[in-house]
Amino acid sequence: MSVVSLLAELADVGASRAGGYDRLAWTRADSKCREWFVAQSESRGLDVEVDRNGNLWAWLNPSLPGSALVVGSHLDSVPRGGAFDGPLGIASAFAALDLLADFAPTRPIAIVAFADEEGARFGVACAGSRLLTGALAADTFRSLTDADGVTTAEAMSNAGQSPDHVGADLERVARIGEFIELHVEQGHLRTSAGVDGLTPDAPLGLATEIWPHGRWRVDLIGQQNHAGTTRLADRVDPMLDLARVILEVRNAAEASGILATVGRVRVSPGAVNAIPGSASAWIDARGSDEDRVVSVMGDIGRGAVLESWTPTTPFDSAFVADVGKAIGGDLPLLPSGAGHDAGVLALAGIPTAMILVRNPSGISHAPEEFAEDGDCERGVVALAAAMRSRTA
Ligand code: HGY
Ligand code: MN
Ligand code: MN
């Protein structure tokens, strides 16, 4: 089945009326994507299992000796996310396996769908892969709640996944010899050839590293009161501080050459006619220079609560070179400003590579995210070549 047809099977799953996809972790839409994963796996005779952290694994020849080559990505999205971020990597893995139907691998191969990569609901990115490797403590994970106060444990249970044993699964990590994640390009970062993003002549690229990435929360306290009867002089309005934080984040980012964003705010009680009693803002900061990200956030992050931090994550250059050689052609090398499960596995010491597929829109985490059918097919051929070379 082609990768385009595989993706088309998810076209209606979690489609948002406002455009894009709402497939937040452990919601109905996420569950339907997981059902699709299981159906695609079983139709190929793969052994499907769900690990203690809710990550889905589909195994080909699990009893073969040696560590596995694992390929995959994630199924969850940000609110109104694009169609490709995550699912393209998984659909490509199934389609690549179909291209290898006549091939007898010498080691196990697994396709993985990591749970809750976006962290869009509970705030911590790559929760499934971080729990797996021990980068996210079970207690910290259990303490997370979504905007409605639903805990991670409740959300998992409601989705039919036991939360009772979440936590590091190092035996499983030891079974992963190498990991390759195919992913849609998510912006036009400069390639090693000095070009801004992949081009029609270079529809595929390889990631060299993942930029450092931090998420902070700022809580601002005011005095809830009546909008129509409280004099301005008597107000304690957290929205003024919120406005200051948002502008300060942007100014500091511009001044220092990092990328910092306030993409989420929460105002209580959120009534048109009530001065808020409190407001929270979430800051996402990243950039090519880790020290600069840390120092900028040190300045503006006073009183901010660090919710997650991932250092600069270089990929194993020898492994990336081998994958590039297997694919053939002189693939451009480019950094990833976006975080990925591949980064978590790389930090756990697993040789990891990412194949990036051109996104002419240069937009991601939005309905406009896009990849041409032809480029998606090229990505599958490349992934299949890499898989063949790593399991011959
Ligand atoms: O936020 C990120 O960079 C990734 O898409 N989770
Ligand atoms: Mn992704
Ligand atoms: Mn994403």
Side-chain angles (χ1 to χ4, degrees):
M1 188 184 244
S2 78
V3 61
V4 175
S5 316
L6 283 161
L7 279 176
E9 295 199 329
L10 294 174
D12 298 333
V13 178
S16 159
R17 271 198 291 268
Y21 291 92
D22 292 329
R23 298 168 178 163
L24 273 63
W26 307 114
T27 59
R28 259 187 57 70
D30 186 35
S31 296
K32 288 190 79 56
C33 289
R34 294 166 67 88
E35 287 160 19
W36 168 85
F37 179 96
V38 172
Q40 289 301 332
S41 303
E42 289 176 345
S43 71
R44 290 168 175 79
L46 304 177
D47 293 345
V48 184
E49 56 168 348
V50 192
D51 69 18
R52 66 180 67 159
N53 297 304
N55 302 308
L56 284 167
W57 301 78
W59 290 93
L60 175 68
N61 304 326
S63 53
L64 279 178
S67 61
L69 170 69
V70 179
V71 294
S73 190
H74 61 95
L75 292 166
D76 67 301
S77 77
V78 297
R80 296 198 58 210
F84 300 87
D85 176 356
L88 177 63
I90 293 180
S92 299
F94 284 121
L97 210 55
D98 294 346
L99 290 185
L100 297 174
D102 62 348
F103 170 65
T106 59
R107 63 194 286 204
I109 291 176
I111 298 178
V112 65
F114 285 112
D116 195 3
E117 187 276 343
E118 295 292 0
R121 182 175 177 190
F122 297 101
V124 173
C126 302
S129 56
R130 284 175 191 246
L131 282 167
L132 169 75
T133 63
L136 172 62
D139 291 351
T140 308
F141 176 70
R142 288 182 197 286
S143 70
L144 302 174
T145 59
D146 70 8
D148 299 323
V150 176
T151 66
T152 47
E154 287 164 346
M156 289 177 77
S157 304
N158 294 343
Q161 168 71 31
S162 162
D164 297 345
H165 305 290
V166 296
D169 191 348
L170 300 186
E171 236 177 79
R172 181 176 297 274
V173 172
R175 290 177 71 188
I176 308 171
E178 299 164 339
F179 179 62
I180 302 175
E181 179 169 6
L182 180 142
H183 204 284
V184 66
E185 183 191 18
Q186 294 183 281
H188 288 160
L189 290 182
R190 185 140 297 200
T191 68
S192 51
V195 175
D196 289 341
L198 298 176
T199 66
D201 302 334
L204 302 178
L206 290 168
T208 52
E209 63 170 306
I210 294 181
W211 281 359
H213 170 198
R215 293 184 181 186
W216 288 261
R217 189 190 75 251
V218 180
D219 295 320
L220 303 163
I221 306 302
Q223 171 57 56
Q224 187 170 332
N225 209 330
H226 195 298
T229 59
T230 312
R231 295 182 308 177
L232 293 185
D234 296 337
R235 294 184 178 206
V236 183
D237 184 351
M239 298 303 269
L240 302 182
D241 291 334
L242 181 63
R244 259 191 288 280
V245 165
I246 294 168
L247 285 172
E248 197 181 355
V249 164
R250 178 54 184 253
N251 294 338
E254 277 178 345
S256 60
I258 71 163
L259 298 176
T261 311
V262 176
R264 181 183 171 210
V265 295
R266 189 172 57 203
V267 177
S268 169
V272 172
N273 55 354
I275 303 161
S278 65
S280 293
W282 279 262
I283 304 170
D284 175 308
R286 22 189 141 184
S288 58
D289 179 328
E290 182 169 323
D291 293 340
R292 203 174 303 164
V293 175
V294 171
S295 82
V296 168
M297 284 315 300
D299 295 346
I300 58 178
R302 289 178 310 286
V305 175
L306 177 65
E307 292 202 332
S308 77
W309 171 254
T310 313
T312 301
T313 308
F315 289 124
D316 176 322
S317 53
F319 181 61
V320 171
D322 285 347
V323 167
K325 214 167 17 203
I327 294 171
D330 189 12
L331 294 183
L333 300 173
L334 56 163
S336 172
H340 301 283
D341 295 306
V344 176
L345 295 195
L347 285 176
I350 296 168
T352 299
M354 288 194 75
I355 301 170
L356 299 174
V357 175
R358 185 171 72 98
N359 169 355
S361 78
I363 297 174
S364 183
H365 282 186
E368 296 83 358
E369 182 184 271
F370 183 66
E372 308 275 2
D373 291 355
D375 289 348
C376 294
E377 300 293 357
R378 286 183 188 89
V380 170
V381 171
L383 181 59
M387 290 165 70
R388 183 187 290 265
S389 78
R390 305 310 299 177
T391 57

